[in-house]
Amino acid sequence: MENSTRNNAENIEEWIIRVKAGNMNALRHVIEIYQLPLYRYVYNLIRNREEAEDAVQDVFLQVIKNIDKYTRQVSFTSWLYKIAYNHCLNLIRKRKGLMSRLHLFRLEAVTTDYDTSFRVDELLRGLSMEERQIMLLRVVEELTFEEISVILDCKVATVRKRFERTRYKIQRNYVHEEGEDYGQKSWTSISPER
């Protein structure tokens, strides 16, 4: 998550209490905090701009519908991303045959920075759904291994191991023509301790 989003998310529990009480301004505030990071995450999972926009709306509708079920046993961010992850898995299952064809085409970039978009696209190409999921949550959204373990429903140690294995795979598979590793600094600068 971006620093400003991370800072806003730290006070999210106060906003969620207001949302549960029916405060629509609080709901708008929560959506504003998470809309862009959630869109980036969903887009990188399903790789289609229009479907990602629809999926984010669907996820927020599910959040609104189920907000009373949310408890502070896990962070709101983990709860939200778990809903998004499950929603995306359902979408991907529905279009199973189409998924393999989508990877044949370079889709429109998510960000306006072409070089960054191209690099992210290149780094994610060739990763399995699970590998892409872990890298997006860890590196792009900057979630902790604990938060990711909640989303993926597995042990923290399993997430760490999968992250390290995927990071190594990226370093091994994406070597620039001049011999520089694409994104090596960005992938390796994320501390495995967090």
Side-chain angles (χ1 to χ4, degrees), residues 1-119:
M1 253 187 256
E2 298 164 349
N3 284 338
S4 61
T5 306
R6 173 69 69 187
N7 292 338
N8 286 330
E10 289 176 3
N11 299 321
I12 199 67
E13 297 301 332
E14 297 169 19
W15 290 99
I16 297 304
I17 291 169
R18 294 177 190 152
V19 171
K20 285 183 173 185
N23 184 325
M24 295 310 287
N25 287 330
L27 176 61
R28 278 193 278 285
H29 180 75
V30 170
I31 291 172
E32 286 174 13
I33 290 171
Y34 287 101
Q35 189 169 14
L36 181 59
L38 191 63
Y39 172 78
R40 280 191 313 245
Y41 171 69
V42 168
Y43 174 83
N44 280 302
L45 288 177
I46 60 178
R47 314 298 292 168
N48 180 286
R49 184 176 286 275
E50 291 79 22
E51 284 186 44
E53 290 170 357
D54 291 343
V56 169
Q57 289 179 5
D58 292 341
V59 167
F60 281 123
L61 288 173
Q62 287 180 38
V63 166
I64 294 166
K65 181 179 175 184
N66 296 299
I67 194 69
D68 289 329
K69 295 178 183 176
Y70 168 70
T71 62
R72 293 181 77 166
Q73 293 174 337
V74 296
S75 72
F76 177 78
T77 302
S78 296
W79 187 73
L80 173 67
Y81 277 80
K82 184 163 184 113
I83 292 171
Y85 171 69
N86 288 329
H87 185 72
C88 289
L89 281 182
N90 289 336
L91 289 175
I92 290 168
R93 286 183 190 124
K94 287 179 185 176
R95 62 174 186 152
K96 192 175 180 181
L98 180 60
M99 188 65 177
S100 61
R101 291 190 300 258
L102 284 177
H103 286 290
L104 299 175
F105 302 101
R106 169 101 170 70
L107 299 176
E108 185 178 354
V110 175
T111 67
T112 56
D113 182 355
Y114 177 78
D115 289 337
T116 302
S117 299
F118 183 72
R119 275 203 173 153

